Amino acid sequence: MERPARETAQSGQAERGLVFNIQRYSIHDGPGIRTIVFLKGCPLRCKWCSNPEGMDFFPVLSYNKSMCRKCGRCVGLCPRGALGLADTKDRVVIQRASCDCCGECAAACPADALKVFGKSMSAREVLDDVAKDAAFYRRSGGGLTLGGGEPLASPGFARALLERAKKDHGLDTAMETSFFAPPGIVDKITQFVDHLLVDIKLADSSRHREAAGVDNGLILDNIRRAAAQRPAGTMLLRFPMIPGVNDDGENISAVAEFITGLPQGLPLEVLPYHEFGRGKFGNLDREYPLAGCGMAAPGKESVEALEEVFRRKGVRVVHS
Ligand code: SF4
Ligand code: SF4
């Protein structure tokens, strides 16, 4: 399968980018009512990822077996012969090396069981769509949130969206990010972000690499720098609570020490692990990285207990 070139722009704006979802009426990803634009591609490989359809820098075809009616309509339609019914007749089989994500099967599927994630869109197309809800944003103090994937991994497109959202549409802007990007990229993009939502997962570098696929040096440096430079109240840290991965006392103490040592006392929100990603990995014919761990979503009491530990260590815990 031929894949589009990954964006290499280091500065300035890129007119087009790959979007894998536009989610309206979100109330948890920045203030007010927001529209989240999810950009495709992420350099991290977090084992608990809840958006694996956004990991790659190219489109992917997702197949949800439980929604499929086994009608076989898609099979004969594929121009590349990439689809077949399993011998057991209980599912469609995708030859992924042959599929170029043209989307013909997804368009014909009567059950929405097939879906291509990753659509090339212009900044103007995205912003015209986002601006449709401008009245809601004005009333609620909301706006545009960029998510992913990792928006900083598509810096030219992210900049185009954020800069034009502010200058051309007068929108409030937010960005969810891992902060895994060179400092020059971070600074060029975040100047157009009103509210930064930054993940902090593990304080130890080798444990971070094991759990998320990359070292955390850049991430921690970027957090330190942003905490020193940004106006107070414009940055929130978010701790994904992943049982058995990062909720141990050693990591909690180290993360709390890092946060309380920052130039401004950044607030922290705990985001408990959930299993939304498990089925999505399966829909992409990929193994769920936490399969076999016996991990369950932590209950309310466990989350509150962890928040209390952070508070006792001097961290300001918030809920959005
Ligand atoms: S997306 Fe296109 S190439 Fe891929 S399986 Fe569907 S019809 Fe075939
Ligand atoms: S067209 Fe849709 S419902 Fe029918 S077999 Fe294909 S995926 Fe299943």
Side-chain angles (χ1 to χ4, degrees), residues 63 68-74 92 109-111 113-114:
Y63 166 67
C68 174
R69 299 177 192 164
K70 291 85 183 173
C71 68
R73 187 185 296 182
C74 57
V92 169
C109 174
L114 288 159

Side-chain angles (χ1 to χ4, degrees), residues 17-296:
L18 269 187
V19 175
F20 71 94
N21 192 10
I22 295 181
Q23 183 181 311
R24 318 188 95 84
Y25 307 115
S26 168
I27 54 168
H28 295 296
D29 302 281
I33 297 172
R34 312 193 71 84
T35 295
I36 313 178
V37 176
F38 293 84
L39 303 191
K40 196 122 168 44
C42 179
L44 275 67
R45 286 295 178 268
C46 301
K47 292 181 175 178
W48 57 90
C49 181
S50 57
N51 289 331
E53 72 276 28
M55 278 181 171
D56 299 316
F57 289 87
F58 49 84
V60 291
L61 178 66
S62 167
Y63 166 67
N64 187 325
K65 181 186 169 193
S66 66
M67 292 171 71
C68 174
R69 299 177 192 164
K70 291 85 183 173
C71 68
R73 187 185 296 182
C74 57
V75 173
L77 272 177
C78 176
R80 300 176 69 98
L83 298 176
L85 272 183
D87 292 343
T88 48
K89 309 286 188 225
D90 69 336
R91 65 165 295 148
V92 169
V93 177
I94 304 169
Q95 303 299 327
R96 291 190 176 273
S98 302
C99 170
D100 67 358
C101 288
C102 71
E104 288 194 27
C105 58
C109 174
D112 279 340
L114 288 159
K115 187 167 182 185
V116 173
F117 285 97
K119 180 181 177 187
S120 174
M121 296 183 75
S122 70
R124 180 173 181 171
E125 285 171 324
V126 173
L127 290 172
D128 282 350
D129 192 15
V130 171
K132 285 178 191 162
D133 287 335
F136 290 107
Y137 310 146
R138 272 194 296 276
R139 280 201 290 274
S140 67
L144 164 70
T145 296
L146 278 197
E150 171 50 66
L152 293 174
S154 304
F157 192 49
R159 176 168 178 166
L161 292 172
L162 293 163
E163 187 171 358
R164 293 187 210 173
K166 292 200 73 61
K167 291 181 178 171
D168 299 347
H169 297 271
L171 296 179
D172 182 270
T173 57
M175 182 168 69
E176 301 173 316
T177 176
S178 68
F179 250 8
F180 183 77
I185 295 285
V186 171
D187 292 346
K188 282 183 180 118
I189 309 299
T190 57
Q191 64 178 310
F192 303 108
V193 178
D194 296 312
H195 314 279
L196 262 180
L197 313 170
V198 183
D199 271 10
I200 181 162
K201 305 170 176 75
L202 283 146
D204 180 78
S205 182
S206 59
R207 287 181 64 184
H208 194 281
R209 179 177 287 281
E210 161 64 21
V214 301
D215 188 271
N216 65 358
L218 259 183
I219 295 168
L220 300 182
D221 284 350
N222 283 329
I223 293 174
R224 277 190 207 96
R225 228 183 47 266
Q229 295 171 355
R230 288 187 66 86
T234 65
M235 189 170 166
L236 170 70
L237 296 177
R238 304 208 288 193
F239 180 83
M241 177 186 179
I242 317 297
V245 174
N246 69 350
D247 64 342
D248 56 283
E250 183 182 341
N251 185 53
I252 301 304
S253 294
V255 168
E257 189 178 339
F258 173 79
I259 295 173
T260 53
L262 290 171
Q264 62 169 294
L266 295 178
L268 179 79
E269 180 172 29
V270 174
L271 301 179
Y273 166 76
H274 56 68
E275 290 199 313
F276 297 164
R278 183 185 290 271
K280 292 183 177 181
F281 272 94
N283 294 348
L284 301 172
D285 294 330
R286 294 179 192 171
E287 190 178 339
Y288 186 51
L290 296 177
C293 292
M295 188 186 294

